[in-house]
Amino acid sequence: MRLVLSLVLAIWLGSPALVLAVDPSFTIGPAKNEFTLLPGASVSKDILVTNNLGRESEFTVNVSDFKDTPAQYALKNYLTLGITKLIIPNGESAVVPVTVTLPTNLPPTGLYAAVNIVASPRASGSGAQVSTAISS
């Protein structure tokens, strides 16, 4: 059986020209993972998040199935995050542990999901906040 956990990099900032010019930023790696697992098997991987946003930032982590993914290809229910919120100082990195555990009765198929990482710079007193999201 082949299980594919696709970690796709995407930035939602409004316009493609803006995406190219964004600085400061944060990065994740690896951007994509693929696993081949048997039913009942488990695998754990780490996603490295590096904060280059210019100040300490809070990151929220969640999992979603790809949009319009039929239920038989959905990985979300088999994926567990080791952490869902983290605070990373500027210029530093942190690890998000991700574990995929398949049930023993799962038929052979490809399964897909995204790990979404959203950055929210900590409030500076103005009350205004901007969030940036990347999916791995």
Side-chain angles (χ1 to χ4, degrees), residues 4-7 63-66 75-76 79 111-115 136:
V4 178
L5 168 60
S6 209
L7 300 175
V63 178
S64 64
D65 289 321
F66 288 164
L75 179 63
K76 180 180 177 180
L79 199 146
L111 302 174
Y112 308 89
V115 174
S136 169

Side-chain angles (χ1 to χ4, degrees), residues 29 45-50 61 81-88 92-98 117:
K45 297 288 182 174
D46 291 335
I47 297 174
L48 183 68
V49 182
T50 302
V61 185
L81 299 171
I83 190 168
T84 57
K85 283 202 181 283
L86 56 157
I87 296 172
I88 305 174
E92 295 189 23
S93 300
V95 170
V96 176
V98 178
I117 301 172

Side-chain angles (χ1 to χ4, degrees), residues 1-8 30-37 43-47 66 75 79 98 100 102 109-113 136:
M1 176 175 86
R2 182 164 188 208
L3 165 73
V4 178
L5 168 60
S6 209
L7 300 175
V8 179
K32 178 181 178 182
N33 277 302
E34 292 187 23
F35 311 113
T36 301
L37 297 174
V43 66
S44 294
K45 297 288 182 174
D46 291 335
I47 297 174
F66 288 164
L75 179 63
L79 199 146
V98 178
V100 175
L102 299 181
T109 188
L111 302 174
Y112 308 89
S136 169

Side-chain angles (χ1 to χ4, degrees), residues 40-63:
S42 180
V43 66
S44 294
K45 297 288 182 174
D46 291 335
I47 297 174
L48 183 68
V49 182
T50 302
N51 178 8
N52 293 308
L53 291 168
R55 63 180 172 175
E56 182 176 84
S57 297
E58 181 176 337
F59 294 83
T60 304
V61 185
N62 62 58
V63 178

